[in-house]
Amino acid sequence: MTGGSADHWLPTMTQAFIALDSSTHAISTAEFAMAMEKVLPIFEKIGTVFLFARHEMNTKIETIKAVQGQMGSLDQIVAAGKQDGTITKKNSPARNVHRLLNTLNFIAAIFQNLAKGMALKDAVSDAYDRTLAEIHAWVVRAGIKTGMMALPTREQFLASIGETEESARQHAEGFVQAAHKLVGLVEKLYQGVEMPRGTGL
């Protein structure tokens, strides 16, 4: 499984984003792609409705990895997308970076909600409404909302990632902080660009 075993998935993912240097716009493309790969296992844990998201996210990561030799930082990817007009084109590297940021926001919001004591279904539903729903077409939103009825319980989810309430809260706090810092920084590169809705992540 990409990103490590269940027993160590959450701390491994957290450390990947804490270690990612987001102090400047020159965030390494390779390191960003590697950190995003650590996120993938969660989609196997929160229910079959999101398995498509794992596939789409992996595909988007691969497009980022494919250009890391030519564009070593995320600001170069976004600048190139603006220059050649592909920044809003489906599956372009620049658009896929933005889509991955939305997914990162989604995962961070789930853990924020769990820290508030919410059931997994409610945590995921609220996180989706505040993040990915904003870029999904209506038919996609409707399908995902229906599928959420089959999400596991909070206890089942924590057990599946090898965490207790206390350990999950401890690790997730660092992840949420690092994720928000990264998203806030990179989203500034997209100022003035209206990103379109889509049928996937």
Side-chain angles (χ1 to χ4, degrees):
M1 179 187 299
T2 303
S5 68
D7 289 342
H8 302 288
W9 168 71
L10 183 54
T12 298
M13 179 183 70
T14 297
Q15 187 55 45
F17 283 96
I18 291 176
L20 186 62
D21 182 9
S22 56
S23 60
T24 70
H25 286 320
I27 299 167
S28 165
T29 301
E31 291 178 8
F32 173 75
M34 182 177 65
M36 292 305 303
E37 285 182 323
K38 305 296 184 186
V39 178
L40 291 172
I42 193 173
F43 294 109
E44 300 170 7
K45 309 297 184 182
I46 58 176
T48 56
V49 67
F50 286 106
L51 288 181
F52 85 96
R54 188 191 195 286
H55 172 74
E56 290 206 1
M57 184 175 178
N58 188 59
T59 298
K60 288 173 170 55
I61 292 171
E62 290 302 317
T63 68
I64 305 305
K65 291 167 66 175
V67 300
Q68 66 187 29
Q70 297 76 40
M71 292 174 274
S73 61
L74 297 188
D75 62 315
Q76 291 177 324
I77 291 179
V78 178
K82 287 181 177 180
Q83 184 174 7
D84 63 16
T86 62
I87 193 168
T88 59
K89 184 178 179 180
K90 188 175 179 63
N91 288 327
S92 71
R95 174 167 163 162
N96 281 349
V97 167
H98 191 266
R99 287 301 200 250
L100 289 173
L101 292 177
N102 287 324
T103 304
L104 189 58
N105 261 337
F106 171 56
I107 303 303
I110 290 175
F111 281 108
Q112 280 185 306
N113 287 341
L114 289 175
K116 298 174 183 176
M118 296 172 65
L120 182 67
K121 176 181 176 296
D122 296 331
V124 173
S125 180
D126 176 78
Y128 178 77
D129 287 342
R130 293 191 286 119
T131 57
L132 297 181
E134 297 180 359
I135 63 169
H136 283 169
W138 179 86
V139 64
V140 178
R141 298 198 303 271
I144 289 177
K145 282 293 189 177
T146 300
M148 284 185 191
M149 300 301 295
L151 293 187
T153 66
R154 177 190 180 96
E155 292 74 21
Q156 289 170 334
F157 170 69
L158 291 176
S160 73
I161 63 173
E163 301 291 342
T164 64
E165 291 280 353
E166 183 177 352
S167 66
R169 185 178 298 107
Q170 178 183 354
H171 295 309
E173 182 177 358
F175 164 68
V176 170
Q177 291 177 353
H180 284 170
K181 180 181 178 182
L182 174 65
V183 170
L185 184 62
V186 180
E187 280 191 337
K188 292 179 181 178
L189 301 174
Y190 292 84
Q191 287 182 348
V193 179
E194 184 175 351
M195 302 303 291
R197 289 183 180 271
T199 57
L201 286 181

